Amino acid sequence: VEESVAVMINEEDHLRVQVFAPGLQPEAAWRRAERLDDALIARLPMAWSEEFGFLTSCPTNTGTGLRLSVMLHLPGLVWSEEIDKATNVAQKIHLAVRGLYGEGSRALGDFYQVSNQITLGRDEATIQSEVLLAVGRIVQWEREVRGALLRGWRASGRLLCVTGQDRAGGGQKDRCGGNPKELRHGFYLSLHAC
């Protein structure tokens, strides 16, 4: 449990509390973060404004300072080349889509972080509902694309991982051992013939 909480000092802001939870459990993570936040506020001086909320070193964190990030595995959107469209839609509703390690990082293994960009003028409940609504829509989009990809692979006789073909169709791989990400996607789609 202790490894699911981190307090960083003098990183982007003077103080950053991070709480990690498996699955989609923002409420549980928020409760843990809030308890720790309350304990720190009781012991440390904080720059606070009735008008603006927490006054942080990084202006984009002013307000609640809450950054809710959800890690998503989106191979369907990547393979269908719709990930840029998904990223653009998210940005229009003030969400950031980042790589595996956050801002400035690449997506590895088709893992992406989706998080709110705005903390000023929004309370914690609003941030949670906005992020969860968007994440739900992205997950649904991913599922629809995966289904369409699977139907296309079945129709063409080209089942990823079962046939051993790489996704570009250019060459053989060693019976599914060539790309763990594709193997994982094959298992997700119940293609266990490997």
Side-chain angles (χ1 to χ4, degrees), residues 19 22 25 35 74 112 138 146 151 174-175 181 185:
V19 177
Q25 302 181 56
R35 283 193 307 270
L74 304 172
Y112 291 85
I138 292 169
R146 285 184 188 188
R151 286 188 299 278
D174 296 334
R175 294 292 296 166
K181 156 176 87 171
H185 188 60

Side-chain angles (χ1 to χ4, degrees), residues 71-73 99-101 105-112 181:
M71 187 70 65
L72 299 174
H73 185 228
L100 182 63
Y101 299 107
S105 69
R106 298 177 328 135
L108 299 174
D110 301 330
F111 283 95
Y112 291 85
K181 156 176 87 171

Side-chain angles (χ1 to χ4, degrees), residues 80-103:
S80 66
E81 299 180 354
E82 292 190 29
I83 193 66
D84 288 339
K85 189 187 306 181
T87 299
N88 291 337
V89 168
Q91 288 174 343
K92 287 179 183 176
I93 57 172
H94 306 291
L95 296 176
V97 179
R98 299 180 169 111
L100 182 63
Y101 299 107
E103 193 169 350

